[in-house]
Amino acid sequence: MRNVRVGAAQLGAIQKADSREDVVARMIGLLDQAAAEKCNLVVYPELALTTFFPRWYHENNVEADQWFESEMPGPATQPLFDRANEHGIALSFGFAELTPEGEHYNTSILVDPDSNIVGTYRKVHLPGHVEYDTERTHQHLEKRYFLPGNLGLPVFRMLDGVFGMCICNDRRWPETYRVMGLQGVEMITLGFNTPATNSLSRNEKPEQRIFHHKLSLQAGAYQNSTWVVAVAKAGVEDGFPLFGASCIVDPSGEIVAETKTEEDELIVADCDLDATKFGKETIFNFAQHRRTEHYGLITSQTGVVVPD
Ligand code: ING
């Protein structure tokens, strides 16, 4: 039994005018709640420190850089690291990263109970578009503001287990989970900011979008026999709704905990990392069952080519 008590710390809306200090105070509030419930790890959303700024068009990058962190921890986030250290709790959260070389990434980090950053991940699957799109009810400019991740899909040893990270749209692509599954991942943490409406199809209901969100998480967890902890930034940000449905999914694909609100909300579950073993040793024993000689197209081809 290798139990990790996980707190999924959903954040409600962050308005464009909210400061990082305001947000970190809310994150610390959730962290203290998690400490009271004796959590070992607390997971926060994608881009947890700011509003979901890719919905806003900035002509030049200098203006957009206001949303980015050039140091981690920085002055605004140091109090979060300090409180986590006091509690001896590990963290995972997402933020917009500006590197010393001037590169921009949608990033997530894994911080151990001594507040050392033990893992960094940069979002690989960037949805949306580069230029302002008049067809859309709202913009989704991740391809404008971020480079595709350049760190691959690594796993990290922490808390006597094997942990991985992905971010939001990554959860919709089976390759994301499988690459980490092939490295023995036992728990994947992911943050997301998902609009409750589809900017290109008005008749897609939030219920359908939440169905696809859960379908992606449950399939990824089951097919790689891993825990998945998915945490939303939810609520209405400057008039734009994001759905909640943060959830903790067990290695058989069952949702064991789910948020009920679109506010700051902590859900907690005891996750036994040994519960991943049965699936990894039987139905998803990759070494025994995979036939890689037939999978070439998955990496040799990007788009669809219909044979003649
Ligand atoms: N957001 C959304 C997500 O993948 C999206 C974008 C929604 C793409 C629905 C496709 C369908 O959940 C982010 N931030 O990736």
Side-chain angles (χ1 to χ4, degrees), residues 168-287:
C168 204
N169 195 258
D170 287 323
R171 73 190 187 287
R172 301 177 190 279
W173 302 92
E175 295 88 347
T176 302
Y177 302 92
R178 183 51 46 90
V179 169
M180 290 189 271
L182 286 164
Q183 300 171 80
V185 75
E186 296 171 323
M187 178 173 285
I188 296 173
T189 67
L190 70 98
F192 64 96
N193 289 212
T194 304
T197 58
N198 185 325
S199 62
L200 292 172
S201 152
R202 293 170 192 279
N203 50 25
E204 187 178 312
K205 298 270 173 295
E207 295 74 23
Q208 187 179 13
R209 295 169 69 75
I210 292 175
F211 168 71
H212 289 148
H213 153 69
K214 291 179 175 177
L215 181 66
S216 303
L217 302 176
Q218 292 179 269
Y222 166 65
Q223 291 170 348
N224 296 278
S225 193
T226 177
W227 290 90
V228 173
V229 182
V231 185
K233 166 110 74 50
V236 181
E237 296 191 332
D238 297 291
F240 295 92
L242 299 168
F243 69 66
S246 301
C247 40
I248 300 174
V249 186
D250 79 9
S252 74
E254 300 278 347
I255 295 175
V256 297
E258 181 178 352
T259 50
K260 296 178 179 57
T261 73
E262 294 190 342
E263 313 289 331
D264 293 5
E265 180 181 347
L266 181 78
I267 51 172
V268 177
D270 283 321
C271 305
D272 176 9
L273 299 183
D274 284 340
T276 65
K277 285 164 75 95
F278 182 71
K280 291 182 190 292
E281 289 167 4
T282 56
I283 184 168
F284 293 112
N285 181 324
F286 292 160

